Amino acid sequence: MEKTLDLKFTYTEKKDTRSGFGDGLLEAGRRNPNVVGLCADLIGSLKMGAFQKEFPERFFQVGIAEANMIGLAAGMTIGGKIPFTGTFANFSTGRVYDQIRQSVAYSDKNVKICASHAGLTLGEDGATHQILEDVGMMKMLPHMTVIVPCDYNQTKAATLALVEHVGPAYLRFGRPSWPVFTPADQKFEIGKAVKMIEGKDVSIFATGHLVWEAIVAEAMLREEGISAEVINIHTIKPLDEEAILNSVQKTGCAVSAEEHQINGGLGDSIAQVLARNYPAPLEYIGVNDSFGESGTPAQLLEKYGLNAENIVKAAKKAIGRK
Amino acid sequence: MEKQSIDQLKKICSQVRRDCLRMVHAVQSGHPGAALGLTEYFVALFFKEMEHNNHFNMDGKGEDLFFLSNGHVSALWYSVLARTGYFSTDELGTFRKINSRLQGHPATHEGLPGIRIASGSLGQGLSVAIGAAQVKKLNNDDKLVYVMMGDGEQQEGQIWEAAMYAAHYKVDNLIAAVDYNGQQIDGPTEKVMDLKNLRAKYEAFGWEVIEIQKGNDMEAVLEGLEKAKKLTGKGKPVLILLYTEMGFGVDFMVGTHKWHGVAPNDEQLANALGQLEETLGDY
């Protein structure tokens, strides 16, 4: 279907966002000697092997002990290091929420919690590993910055930006190969949304893997004469409220799209902004109060209503509610 | 160490105990039991054994660091920090009150000098201390890292993740201590959740373990700390099993879990203060 569409963004290759993290971490290590890496027995999955090889003295294999990893990372900031912890998103958040809350967020420590295999697109491993609540948990923590980049290049840029950012941060990325459609040399500004496509009938605010689905949806809507604005919200906290309001004040309605529970995700953050400042129809694309299951990423996105076709339907519904 | 200076440390203990009781009494909230039990250890560390700098710097490079994992002993730590010059003793009067830097459990809140991480939710301090100790090595900083834990806290699983890690990575610039008073909120540890042979457990994980049998005897504490220091730098993390008596120094509080988290009333405070000599001046 994508082949026949007139897409505003195209790609020549697919790469996983986690590789963007791994390559970004290696580059970060070269640029800043204070960067250290910690991993809970998932070096291959997190693509941390290159960093480990080049900086063995700055890399700490923690074993299957995520709570200890978060505490170690918090302690390492006290001597001036910038720790990047790596494990699956589920074990990076829910499993260690109290450790993050007390030792990292409340203590305002410069720890970067890097979380792979987030969302439904982890695929076949099933619901135990597909966390869909992590963004909500992390965004509720005071001091915590929450970043969900959309492709390989943006994940790499975000990783590098986190080295310069002082304070606790959560970086969420995924497992599957995904279109690489943003520039390799992009500037990544934490808290600054990126307008991908200009439009006037509906605003689509997407994050992570669903930014690509939003780009496909825009082309599908355009074929039907509907003009959609696509905005990439790579930073969920702090949220770029100005970009959201500017867009919705123009289009009059919005769709949020994320690979996360509807409860507590990006859509809820946007709803708060709209309710307080400029009430307008908002349709949510996200998982509706359900766990995931095993399947291929594409099958799961379709079954749980998280793909371009569903964004198109949501956009029409939002427009109809204006 | 000279007899005179040991006597001086003992006197400071008396004053610190008065501080703790007054702080907890003033807000009718806090944890006097373990604070009184750990007074000798804290005074020995901060007034004698640790090389620390009260011109506080969060990074703590070039000085010994201390972490409190069992954060409910906060009144004791605040007293010792104030009395070693980190902040004014007047501020002790704000303990647990609104707008205070002296939170009920230690926090980095408003940059209170001396506190490098929040604690209160148990089980996390050992991991933090190990991380800080490893960074000292990366930074070619030969100073030590100390951490205090409770014995009830040993029931937390994260402690054992950390214990395994510290031995694996030969974190030998670390002196951890367990306040081995045998009491926790709901009763004696052996009844609530028996720790069995804690020494054997740590040794099995690869630690060097020493015991300070008289944790409320200043000479014994100083001797034990010197012994622990000599064991650092030999490839193993070091643990002190510090046998203390909860509530030590006040006859009606000693040896029971009942004063774990209960404040004395006016009459009890007067009685307790009467048992403790004022030496530096109450705040």
Side-chain angles (χ1 to χ4, degrees):
Chain A
M1 178 163 228
E2 289 172 20
K3 299 291 177 205
T4 62
L5 288 168
D6 172 27
L7 296 171
K8 295 277 189 186
F9 286 79
T10 54
Y11 65 90
T12 53
E13 63 172 340
K14 287 186 172 184
K15 279 170 102 169
D16 46 1
T17 49
R18 60 187 168 141
S19 285
F21 164 68
D23 292 348
L25 183 65
L26 177 63
E27 181 60 32
R30 288 173 179 163
R31 288 188 197 176
N32 190 324
N34 283 323
V35 169
V36 296
L38 298 91
C39 187
D41 195 33
L42 288 168
I43 294 168
S45 296
L46 271 286
K47 305 294 181 188
M48 294 174 94
F51 181 92
Q52 179 193 29
K53 194 174 172 198
E54 190 159 323
F55 306 107
E57 75 288 357
R58 283 155 54 189
F59 184 81
F60 302 90
Q61 167 64 273
V62 176
I64 308 167
E66 297 81 7
N68 186 41
M69 178 166 72
I70 296 298
L72 291 166
M76 286 177 182
T77 65
I78 289 165
K81 300 300 173 198
I82 308 170
F84 284 70
T85 68
T87 182
F88 289 170
N90 192 12
F91 315 137
S92 289
T93 55
R95 190 178 182 93
V96 291
Y97 197 66
D98 184 45
Q99 282 77 11
I100 294 173
R101 183 175 180 274
Q102 171 170 294
S103 294
V104 178
Y106 183 41
S107 298
D108 207 7
K109 294 299 178 201
N110 195 23
V111 173
K112 316 305 177 187
I113 299 160
C114 305
S116 183
H117 292 53
L120 284 173
T121 52
L122 164 56
E124 293 81 353
D125 276 343
T128 55
H129 288 53
Q130 296 164 344
I131 195 161
L132 296 166
E133 306 89 45
D134 53 328
V135 167
M137 283 191 279
M138 291 297 117
K139 82 176 188 183
M140 279 200 291
L141 287 171
H143 300 157
M144 186 65 73
T145 291
V146 179
I147 298 175
V148 186
C150 66
D151 69 355
Y152 168 91
N153 284 337
Q154 193 164 72
T155 310
K156 187 173 175 183
T159 305
L160 287 163
L162 279 177
V163 179
E164 310 301 324
H165 170 85
V166 179
Y170 180 62
L171 179 67
R172 183 200 212 226
F173 40 88
R175 181 191 186 205
S177 290
W178 210 253
V180 181
F181 56 96
T182 68
D185 61 350
Q186 68 188 279
K187 188 177 171 198
F188 189 91
E189 280 186 84
I190 293 170
K192 200 85 186 150
V194 180
K195 188 186 289 183
M196 308 291 291
I197 300 170
E198 190 96 31
K200 59 182 174 50
D201 297 331
V202 58
S203 304
I204 303 172
F205 300 109
T207 193
H209 289 143
L210 290 201
V211 177
W212 176 253
E213 297 296 320
I215 285 163
V216 176
E218 185 275 337
M220 292 162 71
L221 287 162
R222 189 157 22 93
E223 284 197 339
E224 297 185 48
I226 297 168
S227 165
E229 182 147 293
V230 176
I231 295 183
N232 173 4
I233 310 280
H234 54 64
T235 306
I236 292 174
K237 186 185 170 192
L239 190 64
D240 190 344
E241 300 193 3
E242 193 184 346
I244 291 165
L245 286 170
N246 284 343
S247 180
V248 178
Q249 279 164 358
K250 178 175 63 175
T251 63
C253 67
V255 173
S256 65
E258 61 192 312
E259 200 182 335
H260 187 270
Q261 292 290 346
I262 288 173
N263 282 327
L266 167 67
D268 276 359
S269 291
I270 291 170
Q272 281 187 34
V273 174
L274 295 179
R276 283 201 313 268
N277 299 283
Y278 190 80
L282 169 69
E283 291 293 325
Y284 290 83
I285 292 292
V287 175
N288 187 14
D289 201 25
S290 157
F291 290 102
E293 66 183 75
S294 293
T296 67
Q299 287 169 338
L300 290 162
L301 292 182
E302 185 183 352
K303 176 164 178 175
Y304 290 86
L306 269 56
N307 57 14
E309 287 78 10
N310 285 284
I311 294 173
V312 167
K313 282 182 207 160
K316 289 179 185 171
K317 198 171 169 191
I319 291 167
R321 288 173 56 203
K322 275 204 241 185
Chain B
M1 197 179 172
E2 286 175 36
K3 176 84 174 69
Q4 199 184 349
S5 53
I6 289 180
D7 286 345
Q8 188 60 33
L9 291 175
K10 288 179 183 173
K11 284 185 177 172
I12 293 168
C13 288
S14 179
Q15 180 66 60
V16 166
R17 286 194 164 94
R18 290 179 70 92
D19 289 346
C20 294
L21 290 164
R22 282 161 49 81
M23 289 162 77
V24 171
H25 168 263
V27 278
Q28 285 296 296
S29 147
H31 299 78
L36 297 181
L38 280 172
T39 300
E40 276 76 16
Y41 190 81
F42 272 61
V43 169
L45 269 186
F46 277 83
F47 285 83
K48 173 73 171 60
E49 298 290 344
M50 265 172 51
E51 295 178 41
H52 62 102
N53 187 351
N54 63 20
H55 298 292
F56 181 68
N57 178 313
M58 184 59 88
D59 282 348
K61 288 179 182 169
E63 62 173 322
D64 291 344
L65 301 181
F66 175 80
F67 294 98
L68 178 65
S69 191
N70 48 331
H72 56 275
V73 194
S74 55
L76 169 61
W77 197 14
Y78 295 147
S79 166
V80 170
L81 286 172
R83 301 244 171 229
T84 48
Y86 283 81
F87 50 85
S88 165
T89 51
D90 293 344
E91 200 168 342
L92 296 177
T94 70
F95 175 61
R96 286 187 169 233
K97 290 178 181 164
I98 193 79
N99 297 325
S100 173
R101 298 195 294 178
L102 276 55
Q103 292 291 294
H105 292 80
T108 55
H109 192 72
E110 306 271 338
L112 183 68
I115 311 288
R116 293 189 167 86
I117 195 122
S119 58
S121 174
L122 296 171
Q124 301 184 33
L126 183 58
S127 301
V128 173
I130 292 166
Q134 285 196 293
V135 168
K136 282 219 176 287
K137 288 183 179 240
L138 280 179
N139 290 343
N140 295 313
D141 177 348
D142 63 359
K143 295 294 185 287
L144 298 174
V145 175
Y146 293 85
V147 58
M148 170 57 68
M149 299 177 278
D151 52 2
E153 187 177 7
Q154 304 302 303
Q155 292 155 5
E156 292 279 7
Q158 186 181 347
I159 297 279
W160 303 101
E161 296 181 4
M164 192 184 302
Y165 179 96
H168 180 84
Y169 277 94
K170 300 181 168 58
V171 182
D172 60 3
N173 53 345
L174 174 77
I175 298 178
V178 173
D179 180 18
Y180 214 10
N181 60 26
Q183 307 286 341
Q184 57 191 108
I185 296 184
D186 277 353
T189 49
E190 62 182 20
K191 287 197 175 159
V192 175
M193 183 52 62
D194 198 345
L195 303 170
K196 298 290 185 188
N197 191 336
L198 214 45
R199 177 179 188 127
K201 285 190 166 97
Y202 272 94
E203 283 177 343
F205 273 85
W207 286 57
E208 194 72 62
V209 181
I210 67 161
E211 299 189 15
I212 297 179
Q213 292 287 349
K214 294 180 182 172
N216 295 113
D217 177 298
M218 185 55 77
E219 285 92 338
V221 170
L222 292 170
E223 190 188 325
L225 276 167
E226 288 298 326
K227 194 174 162 189
K229 280 191 198 174
K230 288 200 179 81
L231 289 169
T232 60
K234 298 184 191 306
K236 285 184 172 188
V238 178
L239 181 83
I240 297 172
L241 282 178
L242 179 71
Y243 289 81
T244 67
E245 285 197 81
M246 194 177 254
F248 189 87
V250 176
D251 60 9
F252 61 89
M253 289 185 171
V254 75
T256 170
H257 67 274
K258 296 202 170 66
W259 289 92
H260 171 93
V262 176
N265 62 27
D266 294 352
E267 193 184 336
Q268 289 163 332
L269 176 72
N271 182 349
L273 293 181
Q275 300 176 35
L276 297 162
E277 178 194 7
E278 181 182 349
T279 57
L280 299 167
D282 286 338
Y283 59 87

